[in-house]
Amino acid sequence: MDQIFELLAITLGAILANNFIFSQFLGICPFLGVSKKVDTAVGMGIAVTFVMGLASAITWAVNQFILVPFDLGYMQTVAFILVIAALVQFIEMFLQKSMPSLYTALGVYLPLITTNCAVLGVALLNMQNNYNFIESVVYGITGGLGFLLAIVLFASIRERLVFADYPKNWEGFPIALVTAGLMALAFMGFSGLKIW
């Protein structure tokens, strides 16, 4: 029963209280770059969730079975980046073959998942928090779902901002940053969330 509560705490923390975008400020580059339309935001969110979940599983195994036994802890970041780069390459090839319109819409931001600090952050935080395999995978997937929630909400607001009336000098990036800041303040309300 304690394990279920622990997984629930990890889930709610990754999605709401410790959202990678609004609380930890990781993954801002694709968040701002791909959030102009909801369709591309959903595609990017799903791709990031997939990469975070798989990266969490694989990096946990790499750390437990290769880095720790051979005392190669200093190579952790490099090894994790290589795992993430390989996963992103796989996703890029899959999208190019099966969903070319989404592949084109994501453009340069798809390869940027490789350097997305949220993906590397989830792998490193799994090790820092001493999560076991199940906890690591849950944290990776729910962290990705938190990213998906943030980017879709932001994209839907940005689509409506096109028709909003605001000063001319706020057009484009400035209004996007103000909107992201207000959303981050709203997500701060979840920081005092207690599960039981």
Side-chain angles (χ1 to χ4, degrees):
M1 192 66 162
D2 287 339
Q3 182 70 21
I4 293 171
F5 283 127
E6 180 70 27
L7 293 177
L8 183 62
I10 290 170
T11 299
L12 290 176
I15 294 174
L16 298 174
N18 295 318
N19 187 290
F20 279 98
I21 297 292
F22 295 131
S23 292
Q24 299 183 28
F25 306 110
L26 297 173
I28 300 290
C29 177
F31 172 73
L32 291 172
V34 185
S35 61
K36 291 181 182 171
K37 295 189 183 236
V38 173
D39 297 343
T40 55
V42 168
M44 177 59 90
I46 291 171
V48 167
T49 302
F50 182 72
V51 170
M52 277 186 169
L54 273 179
S56 294
I58 295 171
T59 55
W60 184 88
V62 165
N63 190 62
Q64 288 298 117
F65 301 119
I66 297 174
L67 299 178
V68 171
F70 294 107
D71 198 28
L72 296 172
Y74 61 92
M75 295 292 292
Q76 194 176 56
T77 304
V78 174
F80 291 177
I81 288 173
L82 290 174
V83 167
I84 292 165
L87 286 171
V88 170
Q89 191 65 34
F90 168 73
I91 288 174
E92 193 172 356
M93 289 186 305
F94 174 77
L95 286 178
Q96 190 173 17
K97 289 278 190 196
S98 63
M99 297 181 225
S101 60
L102 180 60
Y103 175 78
T104 304
L106 292 175
V108 71
Y109 294 102
L110 188 58
L112 283 178
I113 295 175
T114 303
T115 58
N116 185 342
C117 53
V119 179
L120 180 60
V122 76
L124 293 172
L125 286 170
N126 283 334
M127 302 311 137
Q128 182 180 341
N129 295 332
N130 292 320
Y131 287 155
N132 62 31
F133 180 76
I134 299 294
E135 292 170 342
S136 294
V137 172
V138 166
Y139 187 59
I141 292 170
T142 56
L145 291 175
F147 181 90
L148 174 67
L149 174 69
I151 198 169
V152 168
L153 288 174
F154 189 59
S156 63
I157 292 172
R158 283 185 80 178
E159 281 184 352
R160 293 172 190 243
L161 280 175
V162 172
F163 304 108
D165 187 27
Y166 47 82
K168 182 110 173 111
N169 58 346
W170 284 53
E171 272 185 25
F173 204 59
I175 194 70
L177 289 176
V178 169
T179 304
L182 291 172
M183 289 180 71
L185 284 172
F187 268 72
M188 274 181 51
F190 295 116
S191 63
L193 187 66
K194 299 284 185 210
I195 294 176
W196 60 91

